[in-house]
Amino acid sequence: MASSSSSASAATCSGVCETRLVDRCIDAAARSASTVEAWRRQRRSLERLPAHLADALLRRLAARRLLFPSLLEVFQHSVEEIDLSGHFAIDAEWMAYLGSFRYLRVLNLADCKNLNSSAVWALSGMSTLKELDLSRCSKITDAVIKHLASIESLEKLHVSQTGLTDNGVMAISSLENLRLLDLGGIRITDKALWSLQVLTQLQHLDIWGSEITNKGASVLEAFTSLSFLNISWTHVTCLPFIQTMRCLNMSNCTVHSICSGDPKAVIQLEKFIVSAASFGTVPSLITLSLAHTKVDDSALWYISMMPSLRILNLSRTCIKGFMIENSVKMLSMSALEELKYLESLNLDNTQLTDDVIPPLASFRALKYLFLKSDFLSDPALHALCSASSLIHLGFCGNILSSSGLLKFVPPAMLRVLDLSGCWILTGDAISAFCRRHPVIEVRHELMQELQTNCSGTFQLYKSRQPQQVNAKVSKSLAGPDERIKYSKEELMELQHLATSNSLMHVMWLPPELRRST
């Protein structure tokens, strides 16, 4: 074991040393114009130089402005990626050399202001080129597309903020292998967008700042692989349901619907960017999922303007339940009271605290509520006693004490109380609660043991705590009532202690302190 560890360390050290040595060699080769001229006279080709080293050397030369057209010839059999973005000198002469590169996969010419369409002719017919970036090359016009049409290998094309028009964009439809197309800042119309629906492999489409309308946007459902869409700064207000969509940017738009025509659709967005957007009424939207996105409390006001919303998933977001305005803490959950038909609200794995929960009790139509946060405890559960329509309450993984559970007066309609992962609870407390409220199905890791216990009471196992465990932790195992004396931070520390993989090997924990992962 020690031998293999030493070997691994030696290999890592060797790799680091090798990387440093290579970097020094590249730095020496690109030190000055005279240095470059010296090795340039000795070698007419670097075809035996590994691609990643050739790429690194060329990048260093370009960064130091030591690269010139004829020097490119040295790299034509070895380099796979070239970044010349921002180089004003790039013109037809440079392109003539670049067109002879045999293994070139990525070429970045963004912001090359002197590059024009005729110069790009040199790239025609390249068989290895997969990505080309001509963004913000102001002299690039529709004529460039006829040169690119012969590059069948092209998968990513960036032509944002160029001189392209509808005619040039429509010609792009011949590049059937495109997976990414950036047309940002080009004022294309619905007609041009409709012509692109033949690009069935397209996954990323950027058309910000275009003249696209709702009519043109309706064709987007034909892009069956589309996962990223940027339509910011457009007139689009309604989008068709795009099942594969994961990232959507509608900044500076008026948003009415993002699943027009399918009100029952579940939107599985991972990222929804709506900076400076305005939200009109969305009369048909029933289900909205923003789970796993970075949406925060500022979005709740916009969501409140979706009057038909019944199911809202905000799990694993940045929702805290409050906002600070003029140094005053404002409860943001109150905004959702406008949703008169909201039946299901998922706030699992958010940053909610006890004091932001009370507004949820006033949601009269709410039947299903899921709350999970590192900062929720007894007061949060008690605040929901008046949630009159609540049928199913998920309160998993929170810091709920046995006394807190027994003091909870459940709403009259409640039928399911999921306390899975509430690791402080004891079997006695759960058993007592079940006897008091027999119509409620309680879910917890201890329920199976309670149900198989003929006597109906839970027998606490004797734990074998090591001497290293804090005396306070040991005291907490002596009786359930002692646990409520500790602060929330101390309980969280105990929780992490109970779930630590390293401690689980040396410390046996009774079932009531085990937390499922």
Side-chain angles (χ1 to χ4, degrees), residues 142 144-146 148-149 154 157-160 162 164-178 180-183 186 188 192 195-196 198-199 202 205:
D142 293 342
V144 77
I145 304 302
K146 67 180 180 182
L148 302 182
L154 205 59
L157 177 60
H158 306 260
V159 286
S160 64
T162 58
L164 262 64
T165 66
D166 272 5
N167 292 331
V169 172
M170 287 189 285
I172 292 176
S173 60
S174 62
L175 297 171
E176 297 182 356
N177 290 319
L178 281 184
L180 180 151
L181 179 57
D182 183 359
L183 300 171
I186 300 176
I188 63 171
S195 71
L196 298 177
V198 296
L199 303 179
L202 206 61
L205 179 60

PDB file of all heavy atoms in Angstrom, residues 142 144-146 148-149 154 157-160 162 164-178 180-183 186 188 192 195-196 198-199 202 205:
ATOM      1  N   ASP A 142     -22.949  38.351 -46.398  1.00  0.00           N
ATOM      2  CA  ASP A 142     -23.616  37.130 -46.871  1.00  0.00           C
ATOM      3  C   ASP A 142     -22.717  36.287 -47.758  1.00  0.00           C
ATOM      4  O   ASP A 142     -22.847  35.061 -47.819  1.00  0.00           O
ATOM      5  CB  ASP A 142     -24.889  37.496 -47.641  1.00  0.00           C
ATOM      6  CG  ASP A 142     -25.948  38.116 -46.739  1.00  0.00           C
ATOM      7  OD1 ASP A 142     -25.834  37.954 -45.507  1.00  0.00           O
ATOM      8  OD2 ASP A 142     -26.877  38.747 -47.263  1.00  0.00           O
ATOM      9  N   VAL A 144     -19.840  35.296 -47.420  1.00  0.00           N
ATOM     10  CA  VAL A 144     -18.965  34.338 -46.732  1.00  0.00           C
ATOM     11  C   VAL A 144     -19.595  32.953 -46.657  1.00  0.00           C
ATOM     12  O   VAL A 144     -18.885  31.937 -46.619  1.00  0.00           O
ATOM     13  CB  VAL A 144     -18.629  34.848 -45.302  1.00  0.00           C
ATOM     14  CG1 VAL A 144     -19.803  34.627 -44.351  1.00  0.00           C
ATOM     15  CG2 VAL A 144     -17.385  34.157 -44.758  1.00  0.00           C
ATOM     16  N   ILE A 145     -20.906  32.865 -46.657  1.00  0.00           N
ATOM     17  CA  ILE A 145     -21.570  31.580 -46.467  1.00  0.00           C
ATOM     18  C   ILE A 145     -21.300  30.624 -47.621  1.00  0.00           C
ATOM     19  O   ILE A 145     -21.174  29.416 -47.430  1.00  0.00           O
ATOM     20  CB  ILE A 145     -23.088  31.771 -46.263  1.00  0.00           C
ATOM     21  CG1 ILE A 145     -23.338  32.731 -45.081  1.00  0.00           C
ATOM     22  CG2 ILE A 145     -23.768  30.439 -46.007  1.00  0.00           C
ATOM     23  CD1 ILE A 145     -22.737  32.280 -43.765  1.00  0.00           C
ATOM     24  N   LYS A 146     -21.194  31.161 -48.845  1.00  0.00           N
ATOM     25  CA  LYS A 146     -20.924  30.266 -49.973  1.00  0.00           C
ATOM     26  C   LYS A 146     -19.548  29.614 -49.848  1.00  0.00           C
ATOM     27  O   LYS A 146     -19.316  28.520 -50.374  1.00  0.00           O
ATOM     28  CB  LYS A 146     -21.052  31.016 -51.294  1.00  0.00           C
ATOM     29  CG  LYS A 146     -19.995  32.082 -51.527  1.00  0.00           C
ATOM     30  CD  LYS A 146     -20.212  32.773 -52.867  1.00  0.00           C
ATOM     31  CE  LYS A 146     -19.145  33.852 -53.117  1.00  0.00           C
ATOM     32  NZ  LYS A 146     -19.376  34.552 -54.408  1.00  0.00           N
ATOM     33  N   LEU A 148     -18.237  28.856 -46.846  1.00  0.00           N
ATOM     34  CA  LEU A 148     -18.341  27.922 -45.726  1.00  0.00           C
ATOM     35  C   LEU A 148     -19.213  26.717 -46.046  1.00  0.00           C
ATOM     36  O   LEU A 148     -19.111  25.683 -45.372  1.00  0.00           O
ATOM     37  CB  LEU A 148     -18.930  28.647 -44.502  1.00  0.00           C
ATOM     38  CG  LEU A 148     -18.167  29.880 -43.993  1.00  0.00           C
ATOM     39  CD1 LEU A 148     -18.858  30.447 -42.761  1.00  0.00           C
ATOM     40  CD2 LEU A 148     -16.718  29.540 -43.678  1.00  0.00           C
ATOM     41  N   ALA A 149     -20.059  26.836 -47.039  1.00  0.00           N
ATOM     42  CA  ALA A 149     -20.996  25.754 -47.366  1.00  0.00           C
ATOM     43  C   ALA A 149     -20.294  24.455 -47.722  1.00  0.00           C
ATOM     44  O   ALA A 149     -20.862  23.368 -47.567  1.00  0.00           O
ATOM     45  CB  ALA A 149     -21.913  26.189 -48.505  1.00  0.00           C
ATOM     46  N   LEU A 154     -18.211  21.173 -40.382  1.00  0.00           N
ATOM     47  CA  LEU A 154     -18.472  22.263 -39.441  1.00  0.00           C
ATOM     48  C   LEU A 154     -19.641  21.938 -38.513  1.00  0.00           C
ATOM     49  O   LEU A 154     -20.738  21.606 -38.957  1.00  0.00           O
ATOM     50  CB  LEU A 154     -18.759  23.548 -40.212  1.00  0.00           C
ATOM     51  CG  LEU A 154     -18.468  24.866 -39.478  1.00  0.00           C
ATOM     52  CD1 LEU A 154     -17.005  24.944 -39.074  1.00  0.00           C
ATOM     53  CD2 LEU A 154     -18.830  26.055 -40.373  1.00  0.00           C
ATOM     54  N   LEU A 157     -20.690  27.313 -35.466  1.00  0.00           N
ATOM     55  CA  LEU A 157     -20.445  28.511 -36.262  1.00  0.00           C
ATOM     56  C   LEU A 157     -20.911  29.748 -35.485  1.00  0.00           C
ATOM     57  O   LEU A 157     -22.078  29.858 -35.104  1.00  0.00           O
ATOM     58  CB  LEU A 157     -21.192  28.429 -37.592  1.00  0.00           C
ATOM     59  CG  LEU A 157     -21.078  29.649 -38.506  1.00  0.00           C
ATOM     60  CD1 LEU A 157     -19.622  29.909 -38.886  1.00  0.00           C
ATOM     61  CD2 LEU A 157     -21.935  29.478 -39.756  1.00  0.00           C
ATOM     62  N   HIS A 158     -19.986  30.675 -35.271  1.00  0.00           N
ATOM     63  CA  HIS A 158     -20.279  31.934 -34.576  1.00  0.00           C
ATOM     64  C   HIS A 158     -20.148  33.076 -35.580  1.00  0.00           C
ATOM     65  O   HIS A 158     -19.048  33.357 -36.064  1.00  0.00           O
ATOM     66  CB  HIS A 158     -19.290  32.172 -33.428  1.00  0.00           C
ATOM     67  CG  HIS A 158     -19.186  31.038 -32.454  1.00  0.00           C
ATOM     68  ND1 HIS A 158     -19.834  31.040 -31.240  1.00  0.00           N
ATOM     69  CD2 HIS A 158     -18.485  29.872 -32.506  1.00  0.00           C
ATOM     70  CE1 HIS A 158     -19.545  29.916 -30.584  1.00  0.00           C
ATOM     71  NE2 HIS A 158     -18.731  29.198 -31.342  1.00  0.00           N
ATOM     72  N   VAL A 159     -21.259  33.724 -35.883  1.00  0.00           N
ATOM     73  CA  VAL A 159     -21.229  34.870 -36.799  1.00  0.00           C
ATOM     74  C   VAL A 159     -22.025  36.040 -36.217  1.00  0.00           C
ATOM     75  O   VAL A 159     -22.616  36.837 -36.948  1.00  0.00           O
ATOM     76  CB  VAL A 159     -21.780  34.485 -38.196  1.00  0.00           C
ATOM     77  CG1 VAL A 159     -20.775  33.637 -38.950  1.00  0.00           C
ATOM     78  CG2 VAL A 159     -23.124  33.759 -38.079  1.00  0.00           C
ATOM     79  N   SER A 160     -22.054  36.149 -34.903  1.00  0.00           N
ATOM     80  CA  SER A 160     -22.815  37.220 -34.251  1.00  0.00           C
ATOM     81  C   SER A 160     -22.222  38.583 -34.573  1.00  0.00           C
ATOM     82  O   SER A 160     -21.002  38.736 -34.724  1.00  0.00           O
ATOM     83  CB  SER A 160     -22.836  37.006 -32.734  1.00  0.00           C
ATOM     84  OG  SER A 160     -21.537  37.088 -32.205  1.00  0.00           O
ATOM     85  N   THR A 162     -22.160  40.400 -37.199  1.00  0.00           N
ATOM     86  CA  THR A 162     -21.488  40.566 -38.485  1.00  0.00           C
ATOM     87  C   THR A 162     -22.465  41.256 -39.443  1.00  0.00           C
ATOM     88  O   THR A 162     -23.536  41.692 -39.043  1.00  0.00           O
ATOM     89  CB  THR A 162     -21.065  39.205 -39.058  1.00  0.00           C
ATOM     90  OG1 THR A 162     -22.236  38.374 -39.197  1.00  0.00           O
ATOM     91  CG2 THR A 162     -20.062  38.513 -38.142  1.00  0.00           C
ATOM     92  N   LEU A 164     -24.187  39.897 -41.827  1.00  0.00           N
ATOM     93  CA  LEU A 164     -25.117  38.956 -42.445  1.00  0.00           C
ATOM     94  C   LEU A 164     -26.544  39.494 -42.430  1.00  0.00           C
ATOM     95  O   LEU A 164     -26.937  40.218 -41.516  1.00  0.00           O
ATOM     96  CB  LEU A 164     -25.074  37.607 -41.727  1.00  0.00           C
ATOM     97  CG  LEU A 164     -24.201  36.516 -42.366  1.00  0.00           C
ATOM     98  CD1 LEU A 164     -22.738  36.937 -42.359  1.00  0.00           C
ATOM     99  CD2 LEU A 164     -24.367  35.193 -41.637  1.00  0.00           C
ATOM    100  N   THR A 165     -27.314  39.082 -43.445  1.00  0.00           N
ATOM    101  CA  THR A 165     -28.730  39.430 -43.517  1.00  0.00           C
ATOM    102  C   THR A 165     -29.544  38.140 -43.613  1.00  0.00           C
ATOM    103  O   THR A 165     -28.996  37.035 -43.508  1.00  0.00           O
ATOM    104  CB  THR A 165     -29.014  40.303 -44.752  1.00  0.00           C
ATOM    105  OG1 THR A 165     -28.776  39.509 -45.937  1.00  0.00           O
ATOM    106  CG2 THR A 165     -28.111  41.525 -44.776  1.00  0.00           C
ATOM    107  N   ASP A 166     -30.832  38.267 -43.841  1.00  0.00           N
ATOM    108  CA  ASP A 166     -31.688  37.092 -43.999  1.00  0.00           C
ATOM    109  C   ASP A 166     -31.164  36.145 -45.074  1.00  0.00           C
ATOM    110  O   ASP A 166     -31.173  34.920 -44.908  1.00  0.00           O
ATOM    111  CB  ASP A 166     -33.110  37.528 -44.365  1.00  0.00           C
ATOM    112  CG  ASP A 166     -33.957  37.798 -43.129  1.00  0.00           C
ATOM    113  OD1 ASP A 166     -33.400  37.734 -42.012  1.00  0.00           O
ATOM    114  OD2 ASP A 166     -35.161  38.060 -43.274  1.00  0.00           O
ATOM    115  N   ASN A 167     -30.694  36.698 -46.180  1.00  0.00           N
ATOM    116  CA  ASN A 167     -30.228  35.868 -47.298  1.00  0.00           C
ATOM    117  C   ASN A 167     -29.044  34.993 -46.891  1.00  0.00           C
ATOM    118  O   ASN A 167     -28.984  33.809 -47.221  1.00  0.00           O
ATOM    119  CB  ASN A 167     -29.839  36.745 -48.488  1.00  0.00           C
ATOM    120  CG  ASN A 167     -31.033  37.425 -49.115  1.00  0.00           C
ATOM    121  OD1 ASN A 167     -32.146  36.906 -49.060  1.00  0.00           O
ATOM    122  ND2 ASN A 167     -30.818  38.595 -49.707  1.00  0.00           N
ATOM    123  N   GLY A 168     -28.107  35.575 -46.171  1.00  0.00           N
ATOM    124  CA  GLY A 168     -26.949  34.808 -45.734  1.00  0.00           C
ATOM    125  C   GLY A 168     -27.322  33.741 -44.723  1.00  0.00           C
ATOM    126  O   GLY A 168     -26.823  32.615 -44.773  1.00  0.00           O
ATOM    127  N   VAL A 169     -28.219  34.101 -43.799  1.00  0.00           N
ATOM    128  CA  VAL A 169     -28.642  33.141 -42.775  1.00  0.00           C
ATOM    129  C   VAL A 169     -29.381  31.969 -43.412  1.00  0.00           C
ATOM    130  O   VAL A 169     -29.196  30.813 -43.017  1.00  0.00           O
ATOM    131  CB  VAL A 169     -29.519  33.837 -41.718  1.00  0.00           C
ATOM    132  CG1 VAL A 169     -30.126  32.812 -40.763  1.00  0.00           C
ATOM    133  CG2 VAL A 169     -28.698  34.851 -40.933  1.00  0.00           C
ATOM    134  N   MET A 170     -30.218  32.239 -44.398  1.00  0.00           N
ATOM    135  CA  MET A 170     -30.942  31.158 -45.064  1.00  0.00           C
ATOM    136  C   MET A 170     -29.988  30.192 -45.756  1.00  0.00           C
ATOM    137  O   MET A 170     -30.254  28.994 -45.841  1.00  0.00           O
ATOM    138  CB  MET A 170     -31.947  31.739 -46.063  1.00  0.00           C
ATOM    139  CG  MET A 170     -33.155  32.373 -45.384  1.00  0.00           C
ATOM    140  SD  MET A 170     -34.478  32.829 -46.523  1.00  0.00           S
ATOM    141  CE  MET A 170     -33.781  34.287 -47.273  1.00  0.00           C
ATOM    142  N   ALA A 171     -28.848  30.699 -46.230  1.00  0.00           N
ATOM    143  CA  ALA A 171     -27.851  29.842 -46.881  1.00  0.00           C
ATOM    144  C   ALA A 171     -27.153  28.915 -45.889  1.00  0.00           C
ATOM    145  O   ALA A 171     -26.610  27.876 -46.271  1.00  0.00           O
ATOM    146  CB  ALA A 171     -26.827  30.707 -47.611  1.00  0.00           C
ATOM    147  N   ILE A 172     -27.181  29.280 -44.603  1.00  0.00           N
ATOM    148  CA  ILE A 172     -26.551  28.445 -43.567  1.00  0.00           C
ATOM    149  C   ILE A 172     -27.243  27.091 -43.453  1.00  0.00           C
ATOM    150  O   ILE A 172     -26.665  26.114 -42.966  1.00  0.00           O
ATOM    151  CB  ILE A 172     -26.561  29.194 -42.210  1.00  0.00           C
ATOM    152  CG1 ILE A 172     -25.622  30.392 -42.263  1.00  0.00           C
ATOM    153  CG2 ILE A 172     -26.156  28.276 -41.061  1.00  0.00           C
ATOM    154  CD1 ILE A 172     -25.633  31.253 -41.008  1.00  0.00           C
ATOM    155  N   SER A 173     -28.478  27.014 -43.920  1.00  0.00           N
ATOM    156  CA  SER A 173     -29.239  25.761 -43.815  1.00  0.00           C
ATOM    157  C   SER A 173     -28.559  24.586 -44.515  1.00  0.00           C
ATOM    158  O   SER A 173     -28.899  23.433 -44.259  1.00  0.00           O
ATOM    159  CB  SER A 173     -30.644  25.957 -44.392  1.00  0.00           C
ATOM    160  OG  SER A 173     -30.574  26.335 -45.759  1.00  0.00           O
ATOM    161  N   SER A 174     -27.589  24.865 -45.375  1.00  0.00           N
ATOM    162  CA  SER A 174     -26.874  23.780 -46.061  1.00  0.00           C
ATOM    163  C   SER A 174     -25.855  23.093 -45.157  1.00  0.00           C
ATOM    164  O   SER A 174     -25.372  21.996 -45.473  1.00  0.00           O
ATOM    165  CB  SER A 174     -26.158  24.326 -47.309  1.00  0.00           C
ATOM    166  OG  SER A 174     -25.182  25.303 -46.942  1.00  0.00           O
ATOM    167  N   LEU A 175     -25.524  23.724 -44.017  1.00  0.00           N
ATOM    168  CA  LEU A 175     -24.561  23.134 -43.073  1.00  0.00           C
ATOM    169  C   LEU A 175     -25.315  22.220 -42.110  1.00  0.00           C
ATOM    170  O   LEU A 175     -25.560  22.547 -40.955  1.00  0.00           O
ATOM    171  CB  LEU A 175     -23.824  24.241 -42.321  1.00  0.00           C
ATOM    172  CG  LEU A 175     -22.962  25.169 -43.179  1.00  0.00           C
ATOM    173  CD1 LEU A 175     -22.468  26.359 -42.369  1.00  0.00           C
ATOM    174  CD2 LEU A 175     -21.779  24.408 -43.763  1.00  0.00           C
ATOM    175  N   GLU A 176     -25.676  21.057 -42.574  1.00  0.00           N
ATOM    176  CA  GLU A 176     -26.592  20.181 -41.853  1.00  0.00           C
ATOM    177  C   GLU A 176     -26.012  19.555 -40.590  1.00  0.00           C
ATOM    178  O   GLU A 176     -26.749  19.001 -39.786  1.00  0.00           O
ATOM    179  CB  GLU A 176     -27.091  19.077 -42.792  1.00  0.00           C
ATOM    180  CG  GLU A 176     -27.895  19.626 -43.964  1.00  0.00           C
ATOM    181  CD  GLU A 176     -28.419  18.531 -44.869  1.00  0.00           C
ATOM    182  OE1 GLU A 176     -28.072  17.336 -44.613  1.00  0.00           O
ATOM    183  OE2 GLU A 176     -29.158  18.835 -45.812  1.00  0.00           O
ATOM    184  N   ASN A 177     -24.697  19.651 -40.383  1.00  0.00           N
ATOM    185  CA  ASN A 177     -24.085  19.051 -39.191  1.00  0.00           C
ATOM    186  C   ASN A 177     -23.933  20.041 -38.038  1.00  0.00           C
ATOM    187  O   ASN A 177     -23.367  19.692 -36.994  1.00  0.00           O
ATOM    188  CB  ASN A 177     -22.711  18.466 -39.537  1.00  0.00           C
ATOM    189  CG  ASN A 177     -22.812  17.234 -40.404  1.00  0.00           C
ATOM    190  OD1 ASN A 177     -23.675  16.375 -40.188  1.00  0.00           O
ATOM    191  ND2 ASN A 177     -21.944  17.125 -41.405  1.00  0.00           N
ATOM    192  N   LEU A 178     -24.452  21.249 -38.226  1.00  0.00           N
ATOM    193  CA  LEU A 178     -24.310  22.256 -37.170  1.00  0.00           C
ATOM    194  C   LEU A 178     -25.018  21.833 -35.892  1.00  0.00           C
ATOM    195  O   LEU A 178     -26.166  21.399 -35.914  1.00  0.00           O
ATOM    196  CB  LEU A 178     -24.878  23.596 -37.633  1.00  0.00           C
ATOM    197  CG  LEU A 178     -24.013  24.450 -38.571  1.00  0.00           C
ATOM    198  CD1 LEU A 178     -24.702  25.775 -38.848  1.00  0.00           C
ATOM    199  CD2 LEU A 178     -22.629  24.694 -37.978  1.00  0.00           C
ATOM    200  N   LEU A 180     -24.169  24.041 -33.044  1.00  0.00           N
ATOM    201  CA  LEU A 180     -24.198  25.351 -32.395  1.00  0.00           C
ATOM    202  C   LEU A 180     -24.208  26.426 -33.470  1.00  0.00           C
ATOM    203  O   LEU A 180     -23.392  26.406 -34.387  1.00  0.00           O
ATOM    204  CB  LEU A 180     -23.000  25.530 -31.475  1.00  0.00           C
ATOM    205  CG  LEU A 180     -22.888  26.867 -30.713  1.00  0.00           C
ATOM    206  CD1 LEU A 180     -22.145  26.655 -29.383  1.00  0.00           C
ATOM    207  CD2 LEU A 180     -22.166  27.956 -31.507  1.00  0.00           C
ATOM    208  N   LEU A 181     -25.143  27.364 -33.338  1.00  0.00           N
ATOM    209  CA  LEU A 181     -25.220  28.478 -34.285  1.00  0.00           C
ATOM    210  C   LEU A 181     -25.475  29.771 -33.512  1.00  0.00           C
ATOM    211  O   LEU A 181     -26.489  29.915 -32.831  1.00  0.00           O
ATOM    212  CB  LEU A 181     -26.356  28.240 -35.291  1.00  0.00           C
ATOM    213  CG  LEU A 181     -26.571  29.340 -36.348  1.00  0.00           C
ATOM    214  CD1 LEU A 181     -25.299  29.581 -37.152  1.00  0.00           C
ATOM    215  CD2 LEU A 181     -27.728  28.973 -37.268  1.00  0.00           C
ATOM    216  N   ASP A 182     -24.533  30.701 -33.620  1.00  0.00           N
ATOM    217  CA  ASP A 182     -24.629  31.985 -32.923  1.00  0.00           C
ATOM    218  C   ASP A 182     -24.884  33.082 -33.950  1.00  0.00           C
ATOM    219  O   ASP A 182     -23.984  33.458 -34.718  1.00  0.00           O
ATOM    220  CB  ASP A 182     -23.342  32.256 -32.146  1.00  0.00           C
ATOM    221  CG  ASP A 182     -23.410  33.535 -31.331  1.00  0.00           C
ATOM    222  OD1 ASP A 182     -24.452  34.221 -31.389  1.00  0.00           O
ATOM    223  OD2 ASP A 182     -22.425  33.852 -30.631  1.00  0.00           O
ATOM    224  N   LEU A 183     -26.129  33.590 -33.961  1.00  0.00           N
ATOM    225  CA  LEU A 183     -26.530  34.667 -34.863  1.00  0.00           C
ATOM    226  C   LEU A 183     -26.877  35.930 -34.080  1.00  0.00           C
ATOM    227  O   LEU A 183     -27.608  36.794 -34.566  1.00  0.00           O
ATOM    228  CB  LEU A 183     -27.748  34.230 -35.687  1.00  0.00           C
ATOM    229  CG  LEU A 183     -27.578  32.994 -36.570  1.00  0.00           C
ATOM    230  CD1 LEU A 183     -28.921  32.566 -37.151  1.00  0.00           C
ATOM    231  CD2 LEU A 183     -26.577  33.261 -37.682  1.00  0.00           C
ATOM    232  N   ILE A 186     -27.772  39.917 -35.127  1.00  0.00           N
ATOM    233  CA  ILE A 186     -28.135  40.026 -36.540  1.00  0.00           C
ATOM    234  C   ILE A 186     -29.651  40.170 -36.621  1.00  0.00           C
ATOM    235  O   ILE A 186     -30.384  39.357 -36.056  1.00  0.00           O
ATOM    236  CB  ILE A 186     -27.670  38.782 -37.329  1.00  0.00           C
ATOM    237  CG1 ILE A 186     -26.152  38.634 -37.223  1.00  0.00           C
ATOM    238  CG2 ILE A 186     -28.106  38.869 -38.777  1.00  0.00           C
ATOM    239  CD1 ILE A 186     -25.609  37.388 -37.878  1.00  0.00           C
ATOM    240  N   ILE A 188     -32.227  39.278 -38.120  1.00  0.00           N
ATOM    241  CA  ILE A 188     -32.922  38.339 -38.993  1.00  0.00           C
ATOM    242  C   ILE A 188     -34.419  38.343 -38.676  1.00  0.00           C
ATOM    243  O   ILE A 188     -34.835  38.717 -37.585  1.00  0.00           O
ATOM    244  CB  ILE A 188     -32.357  36.912 -38.852  1.00  0.00           C
ATOM    245  CG1 ILE A 188     -32.571  36.386 -37.422  1.00  0.00           C
ATOM    246  CG2 ILE A 188     -30.895  36.873 -39.232  1.00  0.00           C
ATOM    247  CD1 ILE A 188     -32.240  34.921 -37.271  1.00  0.00           C
ATOM    248  N   ALA A 192     -36.076  33.885 -42.122  1.00  0.00           N
ATOM    249  CA  ALA A 192     -34.751  33.271 -42.007  1.00  0.00           C
ATOM    250  C   ALA A 192     -34.758  32.144 -40.982  1.00  0.00           C
ATOM    251  O   ALA A 192     -34.159  31.088 -41.193  1.00  0.00           O
ATOM    252  CB  ALA A 192     -33.719  34.332 -41.634  1.00  0.00           C
ATOM    253  N   SER A 195     -36.220  28.932 -42.240  1.00  0.00           N
ATOM    254  CA  SER A 195     -35.361  28.197 -43.176  1.00  0.00           C
ATOM    255  C   SER A 195     -34.357  27.297 -42.467  1.00  0.00           C
ATOM    256  O   SER A 195     -33.800  26.374 -43.063  1.00  0.00           O
ATOM    257  CB  SER A 195     -34.607  29.184 -44.074  1.00  0.00           C
ATOM    258  OG  SER A 195     -33.602  29.883 -43.332  1.00  0.00           O
ATOM    259  N   LEU A 196     -34.124  27.548 -41.186  1.00  0.00           N
ATOM    260  CA  LEU A 196     -33.116  26.789 -40.437  1.00  0.00           C
ATOM    261  C   LEU A 196     -33.668  25.515 -39.797  1.00  0.00           C
ATOM    262  O   LEU A 196     -32.908  24.764 -39.179  1.00  0.00           O
ATOM    263  CB  LEU A 196     -32.502  27.677 -39.347  1.00  0.00           C
ATOM    264  CG  LEU A 196     -31.758  28.928 -39.817  1.00  0.00           C
ATOM    265  CD1 LEU A 196     -31.268  29.731 -38.617  1.00  0.00           C
ATOM    266  CD2 LEU A 196     -30.583  28.560 -40.723  1.00  0.00           C
ATOM    267  N   VAL A 198     -34.260  22.805 -40.924  1.00  0.00           N
ATOM    268  CA  VAL A 198     -33.636  21.578 -41.459  1.00  0.00           C
ATOM    269  C   VAL A 198     -32.412  21.175 -40.632  1.00  0.00           C
ATOM    270  O   VAL A 198     -31.903  20.061 -40.779  1.00  0.00           O
ATOM    271  CB  VAL A 198     -33.217  21.773 -42.934  1.00  0.00           C
ATOM    272  CG1 VAL A 198     -34.433  22.012 -43.794  1.00  0.00           C
ATOM    273  CG2 VAL A 198     -32.212  22.916 -43.076  1.00  0.00           C
ATOM    274  N   LEU A 199     -31.947  22.089 -39.771  1.00  0.00           N
ATOM    275  CA  LEU A 199     -30.775  21.783 -38.931  1.00  0.00           C
ATOM    276  C   LEU A 199     -31.237  20.987 -37.708  1.00  0.00           C
ATOM    277  O   LEU A 199     -31.296  21.490 -36.587  1.00  0.00           O
ATOM    278  CB  LEU A 199     -30.078  23.079 -38.512  1.00  0.00           C
ATOM    279  CG  LEU A 199     -29.615  23.996 -39.650  1.00  0.00           C
ATOM    280  CD1 LEU A 199     -28.969  25.259 -39.100  1.00  0.00           C
ATOM    281  CD2 LEU A 199     -28.639  23.260 -40.567  1.00  0.00           C
ATOM    282  N   LEU A 202     -29.212  20.738 -34.291  1.00  0.00           N
ATOM    283  CA  LEU A 202     -28.890  21.959 -33.564  1.00  0.00           C
ATOM    284  C   LEU A 202     -29.244  21.839 -32.081  1.00  0.00           C
ATOM    285  O   LEU A 202     -30.376  21.517 -31.723  1.00  0.00           O
ATOM    286  CB  LEU A 202     -29.640  23.132 -34.183  1.00  0.00           C
ATOM    287  CG  LEU A 202     -29.013  24.524 -34.002  1.00  0.00           C
ATOM    288  CD1 LEU A 202     -27.636  24.562 -34.636  1.00  0.00           C
ATOM    289  CD2 LEU A 202     -29.912  25.585 -34.599  1.00  0.00           C
ATOM    290  N   LEU A 205     -28.761  27.617 -29.968  1.00  0.00           N
ATOM    291  CA  LEU A 205     -29.155  28.657 -30.923  1.00  0.00           C
ATOM    292  C   LEU A 205     -29.212  30.004 -30.216  1.00  0.00           C
ATOM    293  O   LEU A 205     -29.927  30.174 -29.230  1.00  0.00           O
ATOM    294  CB  LEU A 205     -30.518  28.331 -31.536  1.00  0.00           C
ATOM    295  CG  LEU A 205     -31.072  29.357 -32.540  1.00  0.00           C
ATOM    296  CD1 LEU A 205     -30.120  29.513 -33.716  1.00  0.00           C
ATOM    297  CD2 LEU A 205     -32.455  28.959 -33.013  1.00  0.00           C
TER     298      LEU A 205
END
